[in-house]
Amino acid sequence: MKSFEYAEPRTEEEAVEFLQDAGTTAVVLAGGTDLMGLLKKMVVTPDRVVNIMEVDSLKEIRLLPDGSLAIGSAVTLDELLADPHLADYGGILDAVHGINSMQLQSQGTLGGEVLRRPQCWYFRRDGELLDGRRVIEGDNRYHAILGNQGPAKFVSASRIAPCLIALGAQARLRCAEGERWCDVADLFQIPRRADQQENTLAPGELVTHFVLPPAGALQSATYEVRHGAGPDMPLAAAAAVLEFSGQRVKEAQVVMGQVAPIPWRADAAAEVLVGHRVDERLAAEAGRVAVAQATPLSHNEYKVQLAQTAVRRAVLRAAGLETGGF
Amino acid sequence: MKDPGKSSGMHFHRRAFLQGSGAVAAATAISGGAAEAASRASRLVRSKTQITLHVNGSDHQVAVEPRDTLLDVLRYQLDLTAAKPVSSDGSSGASTVLVDGKPMTASTLLAIACRGKKIETCESVSSHHPDRICRTFVKHDSLQCGFCTPGFVVAVRAFLKRHPDATREQIRQGLNGNLCRCGTYADMIEAVVDLVKGGGNG
């Protein structure tokens, strides 16, 4: 690990001051389950590490007057599981349960999970995110099957972001100049140049909160296809958010995870669902449509089928139709 | 198809967020002054510094660099070698300790971030009087090379606190954060089944 300064702010204001000192590269430390490994491998080599875990406002889960739910970025995953406000957001709980390690749940945070750096082994080896040639010619079994035509071939790592995006959640960001809000979807980008990364945060910017719209009649689910029962990253995943009018779907959102360099919206698949009753046949059709544009690499064609299955099962689960196990 | 992200109205969220927000109160309460500047400086550590760690019931003074992990300080300064360095990213669970009662991997914690926290290592459960978990591990022969065992023992301790009457399936799920390269999982799960009320049937 490269030597660095350590800052421990007590307020958001202080945190962004520490993050934006002139001439200093700084990174945010939350639970450390992702960053610490990257620091040790010197994939990330900051001058300063800013620990946000002692900022009280980042640790709150607060129901807003309009019924939406604000969750601080330093709230840990086990705190999410324990909070009664989250009970109506089944798709978020599915995703957090999927991260099935006590240690990751008690240490890892919502903000850290959403902004987790790509798991791509080429990136984790030397920090090079956009060496597409190396991925095409190398071992790309866990890489992208969608949105992979540019130099970025990795998959977005977050397991909670697909559901946040499907719910229409927003993020609150702070920098020295003030605050800014954006859709969670807009935190992500497919990088094309060396000076871009997979998130859209400006240097020194801090995500302070995620705001989920009122759960109301929204029914959500996340389904992950995993290699086994262990804590490995899923091979493919999907989140579905449905709103019903009687027996029929009034509105639908489907977002896939682990298939593209960003959480991948499957709007055409959502379109398939609107106006219909959900059953096996309809859910399977949504799955087929979701992967229709897939462009798998040399070793990951199998992920097309898995992503299709993830969408089908997420839709069925969101509709309250359990689908059994693997 | 309507997009809930667009229709929910970002301005409305923003206004709602500010109502009764502790964040805003805290942010506006910040003011300048020498005291504030001094206090801010104390929260920026530039080099090796003396800190107090509360480990296994007593306070320890140690000198740490910001980059020192809790695991390294436990092992190489406090001579508490139960927590093991196996994976650099915590994925093995071999460095599991309790921090304020929660299972965390010491290899992915900065020691300096653990000031003021209650740290318990495997030594605290087993140094003089092997506790029930350790005795049950021995009874079921739940170890081979033993390298992962301290991490498992601490994880089991945290697990039992939360799930005193867990089912066999919950036990399997609950110990997912620890790896054993010898593959002694079956005997470890038998030990935990022995430890929970109801014999693993919930």
Side-chain angles (χ1 to χ4, degrees):
Chain A
M1 232 184 301
K2 174 181 163 292
S3 182
F4 50 74
E5 298 175 349
Y6 171 82
E8 198 174 273
R10 291 290 190 275
T11 64
E12 291 175 13
E13 192 124 306
E14 207 173 55
V16 294
E17 274 176 34
F18 281 135
L19 284 168
Q20 287 188 309
D21 264 2
T24 303
T25 60
V27 293
V28 173
L29 170 68
T33 58
D34 188 29
L35 180 65
M36 289 297 291
L38 294 169
L39 289 173
K40 289 182 192 180
K41 289 184 189 153
M42 298 190 59
V43 169
V44 179
T45 52
D47 302 324
R48 180 182 293 174
V49 167
V50 180
N51 176 14
I52 60 165
M53 296 303 280
E54 307 297 328
V55 180
D56 285 342
S57 63
L58 304 183
K59 312 234 6 140
E60 64 185 3
I61 299 180
R62 190 159 55 94
L63 195 61
L64 304 183
D66 67 348
S68 47
L69 187 66
I71 307 173
S73 56
V75 168
T76 59
L77 302 180
D78 66 338
E79 287 165 350
L80 286 179
L81 291 179
D83 195 286
H85 291 112
L86 268 298
D88 294 332
Y89 298 94
I92 300 289
L93 295 180
D94 287 343
V96 179
H97 277 298
I99 304 166
N100 57 1
S101 140
M102 281 192 302
Q103 292 89 333
L104 286 178
Q105 286 181 357
S106 49
Q107 209 173 324
T109 62
L110 178 60
E113 205 289 329
V114 169
L115 294 170
R116 186 177 172 81
R117 303 299 313 274
Q119 201 63 33
C120 166
W121 39 42
Y122 296 111
F123 168 67
R124 297 260 160 184
R125 184 188 297 170
D126 57 21
E128 180 53 67
L129 199 54
L130 294 180
D131 192 347
R133 178 58 47 194
R134 185 165 60 164
V135 178
I136 286 173
E137 290 168 358
D139 190 339
N140 49 43
R141 72 182 94 168
Y142 301 131
H143 286 75
I145 57 169
L146 284 158
N148 58 0
Q149 299 303 292
K153 313 286 184 192
F154 60 88
V155 294
S156 173
S158 176
R159 297 162 71 167
I160 304 176
C163 190
L164 287 175
I165 293 169
L167 285 164
Q170 288 154 19
R172 176 178 178 269
L173 298 89
R174 281 287 298 265
C175 64
E177 290 74 40
E179 69 169 25
R180 124 178 128 86
W181 290 77
C182 73
D183 286 341
V184 171
D186 294 332
L187 290 176
F188 298 94
Q189 66 181 355
I190 300 180
R192 299 191 179 280
R193 303 188 312 262
D195 62 338
Q196 296 175 320
Q197 55 181 30
E198 74 286 356
N199 64 62
T200 56
L201 298 184
E205 228 174 5
L206 174 70
V207 176
T208 68
H209 292 79
F210 296 89
V211 178
L212 279 52
L218 298 179
Q219 295 179 215
S220 62
T222 300
Y223 190 93
E224 295 182 334
V225 181
R226 298 208 300 262
H227 187 261
D232 287 341
M233 296 294 279
L235 301 166
V241 175
L242 305 177
E243 191 175 351
F244 284 87
S245 173
Q247 300 280 305
R248 293 174 190 280
V249 175
K250 192 170 79 178
E251 288 182 29
Q253 298 286 333
V254 177
V255 180
M256 290 187 280
Q258 316 295 331
V259 298
I262 54 173
W264 192 259
R265 298 191 74 104
D267 288 345
E271 203 79 62
V272 164
L273 303 172
V274 174
H276 299 284
R277 293 165 191 262
V278 174
D279 58 17
E280 277 278 355
R281 190 204 54 78
L282 186 73
E285 177 61 15
R288 270 191 295 277
V289 169
V291 298
Q293 310 294 322
T295 49
L297 306 172
S298 55
H299 295 104
N300 68 4
E301 197 167 356
Y302 73 99
K303 285 185 66 166
V304 177
Q305 174 67 46
L306 300 188
Q308 181 174 335
T309 299
V311 168
R312 174 168 62 85
R313 292 198 165 175
V315 167
L316 288 171
R317 188 168 162 78
L321 305 166
E322 286 296 341
T323 63
F326 292 95
Chain B
M1 186 181 58
K2 207 172 84 182
D3 180 348
K6 296 290 183 290
S7 64
S8 56
M10 198 175 292
H11 292 291
F12 192 53
H13 275 324
R14 189 187 303 196
R15 201 166 61 236
F17 183 85
L18 292 174
Q19 289 173 14
S21 164
V24 173
T28 51
I30 299 290
S31 56
E36 175 55 35
S39 136
R40 180 181 182 277
S42 76
R43 296 201 279 280
L44 178 61
V45 180
R46 293 181 189 276
S47 56
K48 197 162 194 171
T49 189
Q50 197 79 19
I51 63 167
T52 304
L53 288 179
H54 189 81
V55 184
N56 297 340
S58 53
D59 285 341
H60 301 267
Q61 306 290 326
V62 287
V64 302
E65 280 186 64
R67 64 178 167 174
D68 287 338
T69 63
L70 176 63
L71 180 64
D72 285 349
V73 174
L74 290 174
R75 290 180 60 84
Y76 306 125
Q77 293 203 49
L78 301 180
D79 205 24
L80 295 168
T81 56
K84 297 286 190 283
V86 172
S87 55
S88 63
D89 60 359
S91 55
S92 68
S95 69
T96 301
V97 298
L98 300 182
V99 179
D100 289 340
K102 288 184 176 191
M104 299 190 182
T105 46
S107 64
T108 60
L109 293 168
L110 292 178
I112 199 165
C114 295
R115 290 178 291 185
K117 301 191 189 306
K118 189 177 156 203
I119 298 153
E120 295 163 86
T121 71
C122 192
E123 283 91 345
S124 76
V125 301
S126 59
S127 53
H128 301 298
H129 306 287
D131 78 340
R132 188 162 153 255
I133 298 170
C134 296
R135 291 199 307 274
T136 311
F137 263 59
V138 172
K139 175 179 158 194
H140 287 273
D141 203 9
S142 308
L143 58 156
Q144 289 186 51
C145 85
F147 214 72
C148 70
T149 308
F152 264 103
V153 167
V154 175
V156 167
R157 191 181 182 200
F159 177 78
L160 289 174
K161 217 176 337 179
R162 286 184 212 185
H163 306 282
D165 48 10
T167 63
R168 189 176 285 266
E169 183 51 33
Q170 283 174 314
I171 295 167
R172 292 182 70 92
Q173 289 284 328
L175 299 183
N176 253 333
N178 294 70
L179 298 179
C180 167
R181 295 301 295 269
C182 306
T184 320
Y185 299 108
D187 291 329
M188 280 191 270
I189 285 161
E190 286 313 311
V192 185
V193 167
D194 197 346
L195 286 162
V196 294
K197 295 172 201 153
N201 296 314

